[in-house]
Amino acid sequence: MAAVVTVSALDAGHLTLPERLFVTDADPDLRATVPSLSFLVRHTAPSGATTAVLFDLGVKRNIDGYTPAQRAHIAQRQPVVVSPDCADSLRRGHSPTATDGEQQQLLLLDPTTDVDVVILSHVHWDHVGTPSDFGRAVFAVGAGTLNLLRHGAGPLYPAALFNADELPAARTLEFPPAPASPYDSHTAEHAPAPTPNTPTMAALLPPTIRYPWRWEPLPANDTDDPAFPAALDLFGDGSVRVVDSPGHLFGHVNLLLRTAPRRYVYLGGDCCHDPRILRGEKGIALYDDGCGGLRSVHVDTGAARRTLGRIARFADGHGDGDGDVEVEVVVAHDAVWRDRNRHRFWPGTL
């Protein structure tokens, strides 16, 4: 039987987005407060060993933990809601039937001791959360991320927009660079260099995780155009695949999770900020980049469109060459999905 995982959504803060910066044909005055979702993924090996993986950490509960340039940006995204944050949601979860007093007494998971791995889709301010809450976890990020945090990446992504000390240096590994660059030449020239993992850091990974990491096309067969050109089998059993998902920010990755033999959950991070784009109802908005040109919220709009196209095709049930596959795609800032799926938040499951 195919290996599967359990997945639970977590509240990890909210922020407010002006529609005009994200979708075409937008209401110029509409601003929507949306979640920054985190997800708990639990994998049980044949030996019985359970590995707890977090995907994204949402918003910091202490805004003062951001750099001055980040706080200036956050001021444009108000209202921002910081509670509950990811750690608090892990501790107490969400129970639709519990009273406030009962909810406060819950202690479901201790973020300090019960989380093994944290995977960040990328390191924008609304996804990095409070890494110090996860004192035992190994962090895993896309190629070039550590360099990006230290030095930025080109004029639109200066170092001031990132915190060089965001992640624990001794416990943070990078996924390897994907085999081929998906970026246009202008974007590629600003791509941050990857940081090699040391054997000491790799030794911190749970023994259930397959390492060294390597990218493979998915599906790994003779098709000319695989569903995803670069996917990494985290546990070596097909239950969790890290998907190289270029476009939004350098190092952006997604997760493809098998939750039943013929059912997948695809965690899309910031592949788009509005699910209507994924459904083809809206396009990616372009706006003045302040340098005499146009830009979108993505570092490479063309690459982002190509990633969205691959996700959409996979979600249509063609991921393994057979239409009898259910795929649910969840992006980080989907307020409608959150409101409709409260029963699937931890300790509930997707």
Side-chain angles (χ1 to χ4, degrees):
M1 182 175 176
V4 299
V5 293
T6 60
V7 188
S8 303
L10 297 161
D11 272 320
H14 290 70
L15 65 157
T16 302
L17 303 179
E19 188 180 77
R20 62 183 174 80
L21 297 183
F22 296 91
V23 300
T24 53
D25 301 319
D27 180 338
D29 300 316
L30 181 62
R31 295 168 55 84
T33 300
V34 300
S36 191
L37 295 170
S38 176
F39 295 87
L40 171 65
V41 180
R42 289 171 292 161
H43 173 274
T44 301
S47 65
T50 298
T51 306
V53 178
L54 282 182
F55 183 64
D56 278 344
L57 299 180
V59 179
K60 292 185 188 299
R61 64 175 171 275
N62 181 3
I63 297 297
D64 290 339
Y66 292 108
T67 67
Q70 287 173 323
R71 292 199 297 272
H73 176 79
I74 292 168
Q76 304 171 43
R77 298 291 180 259
Q78 296 293 338
V80 171
V81 179
V82 300
S83 180
D85 69 346
C86 181
D88 203 42
S89 289
L90 276 174
R91 295 185 189 100
R92 297 189 169 85
H94 170 77
S95 173
T97 60
T99 66
D100 289 343
E102 291 171 336
Q103 199 75 32
Q104 291 300 315
Q105 296 302 312
L106 295 175
L107 179 56
L108 299 176
L109 279 181
D110 185 338
T112 304
T113 59
D114 296 337
V115 175
D116 300 295
V117 179
V118 175
I119 298 175
L120 298 181
S121 64
H122 64 296
V123 288
H124 277 149
W125 69 274
D126 52 323
H127 293 258
V128 296
T130 308
S132 60
D133 287 339
F134 307 92
R136 191 178 69 83
V138 177
F139 285 71
V141 293
T145 295
L146 295 176
N147 202 312
L148 172 69
L149 289 173
R150 291 190 296 267
H151 305 296
L156 298 180
Y157 296 88
L161 289 179
F162 303 96
N163 182 350
D165 298 325
E166 192 72 74
L167 301 176
R171 290 184 284 119
T172 301
L173 288 80
E174 287 192 356
F175 297 116
S181 173
Y183 301 116
D184 65 31
S185 58
H186 177 73
T187 305
E189 70 178 273
H190 298 301
T195 299
N197 300 326
T198 68
T200 300
M201 293 183 343
L204 299 175
L205 287 166
T208 52
I209 288 182
R210 185 176 74 173
Y211 190 89
W213 288 325
R214 62 180 183 270
W215 297 113
E216 298 172 329
L218 179 71
N221 55 25
D222 295 329
T223 58
D224 292 332
D225 187 22
F228 300 108
L232 184 154
D233 191 347
L234 193 66
F235 292 101
D237 59 11
S239 63
V240 176
R241 285 187 168 94
V242 180
V243 179
D244 181 53
S245 308
H248 180 58
L249 184 66
F250 296 113
H252 188 254
V253 296
N254 292 170
L255 288 190
L256 176 64
L257 310 170
R258 187 165 57 206
T259 59
R262 302 193 66 75
R263 185 178 189 279
Y264 292 95
V265 172
Y266 188 96
L267 302 180
D270 276 3
C271 66
C272 65
H273 293 69
D274 189 311
R276 292 176 295 177
I277 298 174
L278 189 62
R279 296 194 297 265
E281 299 168 11
K282 295 281 187 178
I284 297 171
L286 298 176
Y287 55 91
D288 187 349
D289 66 0
C291 302
L294 294 175
R295 63 164 299 182
S296 73
V297 295
H298 304 291
V299 68
D300 189 308
T301 307
R305 289 191 181 111
R306 290 189 290 275
T307 291
L308 283 167
R310 292 189 179 277
I311 296 170
R313 288 193 294 275
F314 188 86
D316 284 340
H318 303 297
D320 63 356
D322 187 332
D324 186 25
V325 176
E326 180 185 357
V327 181
E328 180 178 16
V329 180
V330 188
V331 295
H333 302 303
D334 189 343
V336 174
W337 186 93
R338 176 190 180 274
D339 292 343
R340 290 177 177 173
N341 290 276
R342 295 300 288 150
H343 59 291
R344 303 167 83 191
F345 278 62
W346 173 248
T349 58
L350 273 67

